[in-house]
C-alpha cells in the first residue's frame, strides 16, 4: 500500500451499512454514522455499471466486489469467507485481506 487509503462506496453499500448498524444501535445513530462516512474526504463514490456475479454463495456481497472492480481498488478488507472465491480467479485480480492483516499493514 502506498499510504493513500480511500473507502470506496456507493449508495447500495451505504444503505447496507445503515441497515446493519440500525440492528445494533438506533436508526438515528446508524444514519448519522453513514452520513459521517459519506462526508469523509477519504470516501470515494463509485457507481457500479456492470455486475460480475462472482460471489454465488451470498450474491448480496457482489455489490462490494463490483464497486471495487469499478474503482480499480487495490484490495477488499473483509472477514467474510464468501470473498475467498476471489482468491481463486485470475481476472479481475482483487487482493482480499482480513481486518487484522489490514491493521498490521497500517503499522
Amino acid at each position: 500500500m502506498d499510504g493513500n487509503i480511500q473507502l470506496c462506496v456507493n449508495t447500495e453499500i451505504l444503505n447496507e451499512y445503515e441497515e446493519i448498524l440500525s440492528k445494533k444501535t438506533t436508526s438515528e445513530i446508524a444514519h448519522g454514522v453513514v452520513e459521517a462516512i459519506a462526508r469523509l474526504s477519504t470516501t470515494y463514490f463509485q457507481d457500479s455499471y456492470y455486475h460480475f456475479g462472482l460471489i454465488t454463495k451470498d450474491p448480496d456481497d457482489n455489490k462490494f466486489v463490483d464497486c471495487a472492480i469499478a474503482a480499480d481498488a487495490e484490495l477488499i478488507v473483509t472477514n467474510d469467507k464468501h470473498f475467498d472465491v476471489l482468491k481463486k480467479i485470475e481476472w479481475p485480480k482483487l487482493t482480499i485481506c482480513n481486518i487484522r492483516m489490514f491493521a498490521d499493514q497500517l503499522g
Side-chain angles (χ1 to χ4, degrees), residues 36-47:
I37 291 170
R39 293 172 192 239
L40 288 171
S41 64
T42 54
T43 298
Y44 176 75
F45 284 86
Q46 176 64 57
D47 289 322

Side-chain angles (χ1 to χ4, degrees), residues 41-58:
S41 64
T42 54
T43 298
Y44 176 75
F45 284 86
Q46 176 64 57
D47 289 322
S48 303
Y49 298 104
Y50 187 81
H51 303 286
F52 292 90
L54 297 172
I55 299 178
T56 57
K57 291 191 178 188
D58 187 357

Side-chain angles (χ1 to χ4, degrees), residues 48-103:
S48 303
Y49 298 104
Y50 187 81
H51 303 286
F52 292 90
L54 297 172
I55 299 178
T56 57
K57 291 191 178 188
D58 187 357
D60 197 43
D61 287 340
N62 282 306
K63 70 173 81 53
F64 300 98
V65 177
D66 297 338
C67 182
I69 293 169
D72 197 26
E74 187 175 324
L75 59 92
I76 295 177
V77 180
T78 181
N79 284 354
D80 188 331
K81 296 295 182 191
H82 294 134
F83 287 80
D84 287 349
V85 68
L86 301 176
K87 296 175 183 177
K88 300 173 186 168
I89 61 172
E90 291 190 33
W91 188 93
K93 195 63 181 162
L94 291 167
T95 300
I96 307 301
C97 75
N98 65 39
I99 294 168
R100 180 174 298 279
M101 290 170 33
F102 182 69

Side-chain angles (χ1 to χ4, degrees), residues 1-13:
M1 293 187 322
D2 65 4
N4 183 16
I5 299 170
Q6 291 184 302
L7 174 64
C8 299
V9 298
N10 55 37
T11 302
E12 193 177 12
I13 290 170

